[in-house]
Every structure is written in structure tokens, then in C-alpha cells.
């Protein structure tokens, strides 16, 4: 089934004052609006025209291979630290992995078809990630018990973290899909210094996240 919804990323409503000039209106519009995606994006990465205006201060642009994603954690930034429980109920902090590359991927939910494909693809390529010296961390809103059952069922060798309430997802600014009804599927690659080097968003081709992140890791 093909999903081709048309959404805008971080587009606030714009009300123009009576009598405002078209030039002044355009300037205010450029200052307020995040760059809109093209109608053909279909969540396979968001594309924008080359003449797009810079986003507001509140939002920063993330240049990915698929275009621009509105969010708080972007390429070149250092994401906020977090401490979440893993599938065994133990607290894990992002700072723990400083000194090695880290792949952090946010996914909608355990046991769903796309998320299972994605997790198993990371599992099947896990030795390649280890060879690159990288850690893989999956994050969703499921609790630790759900993560444990998911990891055991599919023999997942990497860490799954429970972000109940989606606090970290919100702090990182992971965009939702399908008009906000579906938690976004977004992957970040952090270098040894904890700086984001790559952001990849693709809801409906979950297995592509693995190949894209491996390419970046091999270039670090």
C-alpha cells in the first residue's frame, strides 16, 4: 500500500495585518515559516527548493541525504543527554557511549511489521556496526518488559531503551508522520565526540536506515 499524504513541517498559521505591503508580508513569512517539503516526498526524506528561507531561531535545519528535516537535534549539534531503562530494566545514559560512534534510532513500536523489519535488519548487519566500532541503540515508547520480549523473540544483540511518555523523542524533535498520528522513524549517527553527523528519516522503508547509516559510519 502506498502512502502519499501531503504534510508541512513546522508550518505555523500566518495572519497578515490589514494594509501590510506585499514586500513586508513576504519578509515576515520567510521569518516565520520552516521550509515546506515537496508534495512528492511521501516521507522518503523531505525535499525543498534551493531558494528556501532560513527557519526560525527555534528550529534548526538538518541537512540529510533526503533533504531538510525540522527538529531540535540536527547535523553538527550535540544532542541532550538522556538516561532511560533498557530491556533489562537497567538505566543507560547516552554519555556512557562517548568515545565511540553511536547510532540512535527512534521507531514507532515493538512488534509492528516495519519496526520488526528494521530491528532484524540492524541485527543482521550488527557485525558490520561492531567492525565500525559503533553502538546501536533503539528507542520507542514501549516499556522495558515489551522491549525484553521483543529482543528475545528476534535475538536482537543491541540495546533497546524505553522512552515512556516520549520525553526524549520530544526533546530531540523527532517529527511525527501521518498528520501527527504515527511516531516518526528517525535515525541519528553520532561521532566519537557525540556530535551528530547524519540524520535520516524514512517511515515506510525501514530497512534503508541500516544501509544509509553504515555508509556514514564507514566515512567517519
Amino acid at each position: 500500500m502506498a502512502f502519499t499524504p501531503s504534510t508541512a513541517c513546522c508550518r505555523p498559521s500566518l495572519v497578515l495585518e490589514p494594509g501590510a505591503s506585499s514586500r513586508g508580508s513576504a519578509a515576515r513569512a520567510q521569518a516565520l515559516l520552516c521550509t515546506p517539503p515537496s508534495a512528492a516526498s511521501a516521507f522518503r526524506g523531505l525535499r525543498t527548493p534551493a531558494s528556501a528561507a532560513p527557519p526560525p531561531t527555534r528550529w534548526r535545519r538538518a541537512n540529510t541525504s533526503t533533504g531538510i528535516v525540522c527538529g531540535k537535534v540536527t547535523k553538527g549539534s550535540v544532542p541532550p543527554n538522556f538516561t532511560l531503562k533498557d530491556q533489562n530494566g537497567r538505566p543507560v545514559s547516552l554519555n556512557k557511549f562517548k568515545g565511540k560512534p553511536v547510532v540512535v534510532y527512534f521507531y514507532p513500536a515493538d512488534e509492528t511489521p516495519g519496526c520488526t523489519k528494521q530491528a532484524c535488519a540492524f541485527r543482521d548487519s550488527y557485525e558490520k556496526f561492531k567492525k565500525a566500532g559503533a553502538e546501536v541503540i533503539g528507542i520507542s515508547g514501549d516499556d522495558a518488559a515489551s522491549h525484553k520480549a521483543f529482543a528475545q523473540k528476534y535475538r536482537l544483540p543491541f540495546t533497546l531503551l524505553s522512552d515512556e511518555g516520549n520525553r526524549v523523542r520530544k526533546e530531540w524533535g523527532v517529527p511525527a508522520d501521518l498528520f501527527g498520528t504515527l511516531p516518526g522513524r528517525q535515525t541519528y549517527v553520532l561521532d566519537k565526540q557525540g556530535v551528530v553527523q547524519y540524520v535520516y528519516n524514512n517511515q515506510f522503508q525501514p530497512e534503508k536506515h541500516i544501509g544509509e547509516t553504515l555508509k556514514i559510519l564507514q566515512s567517519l
Side-chain angles (χ1 to χ4, degrees), residues 47-67:
R47 299 183 182 277
T48 68
S51 60
T57 303
R58 183 182 174 187
W59 300 96
R60 290 178 292 175
R61 293 191 299 175
N63 293 321
T64 72
S65 68
T66 53

Side-chain angles (χ1 to χ4, degrees), residues 58-83:
R58 183 182 174 187
W59 300 96
R60 290 178 292 175
R61 293 191 299 175
N63 293 321
T64 72
S65 68
T66 53
I68 294 175
V69 177
C70 286
K72 295 181 180 179
V73 174
T74 63
K75 182 178 178 181
S77 68
V78 176
N81 185 43
F82 57 72
T83 300

Side-chain angles (χ1 to χ4, degrees), residues 23-98:
R23 178 175 298 179
S25 300
R28 282 191 292 276
Q30 288 181 345
L32 288 173
L33 297 181
C34 275
T35 303
S38 70
S41 66
F43 304 109
R44 298 185 179 179
L46 306 180
R47 299 183 182 277
T48 68
S51 60
T57 303
R58 183 182 174 187
W59 300 96
R60 290 178 292 175
R61 293 191 299 175
N63 293 321
T64 72
S65 68
T66 53
I68 294 175
V69 177
C70 286
K72 295 181 180 179
V73 174
T74 63
K75 182 178 178 181
S77 68
V78 176
N81 185 43
F82 57 72
T83 300
L84 298 171
K85 289 184 179 180
D86 68 8
Q87 61 261 53
N88 297 309
R90 295 177 299 213
V92 174
S93 297
L94 179 62
N95 285 345
K96 168 188 174 183
F97 302 102
K98 206 160 188 180

Side-chain angles (χ1 to χ4, degrees), residues 6 34 58 70 90 117 138 171 173 199 219:
S6 176
C34 275
R58 183 182 174 187
C70 286
R90 295 177 299 213
K117 284 182 180 179
E171 285 180 355
V199 183
S219 69

Side-chain angles (χ1 to χ4, degrees), residues 12 22-23 31 62 66 74 96 121 138 143 153 173 193 195 200 210:
S22 60
R23 178 175 298 179
T66 53
T74 63
K96 168 188 174 183
D143 60 24
K153 181 176 180 180
Q193 288 72 44
V195 178
Y200 184 73
I210 289 74

Side-chain angles (χ1 to χ4, degrees), residues 104-173:
V104 179
Y105 80 95
F106 289 85
Y107 64 98
D110 295 337
E111 294 288 355
T112 56
C115 297
T116 300
K117 284 182 180 179
Q118 184 178 23
C120 290
F122 270 115
R123 177 201 65 198
D124 295 343
S125 296
Y126 189 63
E127 289 302 316
K128 294 179 182 178
F129 285 98
K130 284 179 63 178
K131 187 175 180 180
E135 293 285 343
V136 176
I137 302 172
I139 301 178
S140 77
D142 301 289
D143 60 24
S146 174
H147 279 340
K148 186 171 185 177
F150 187 50
Q152 289 179 340
K153 181 176 180 180
Y154 296 103
R155 304 185 306 281
L156 305 180
F158 49 86
T159 301
L160 297 178
L161 298 180
S162 176
D163 182 26
E164 294 186 77
N166 295 316
R167 177 182 60 84
V168 175
R169 179 182 286 270
K170 293 170 185 174
E171 285 180 355
W172 284 45

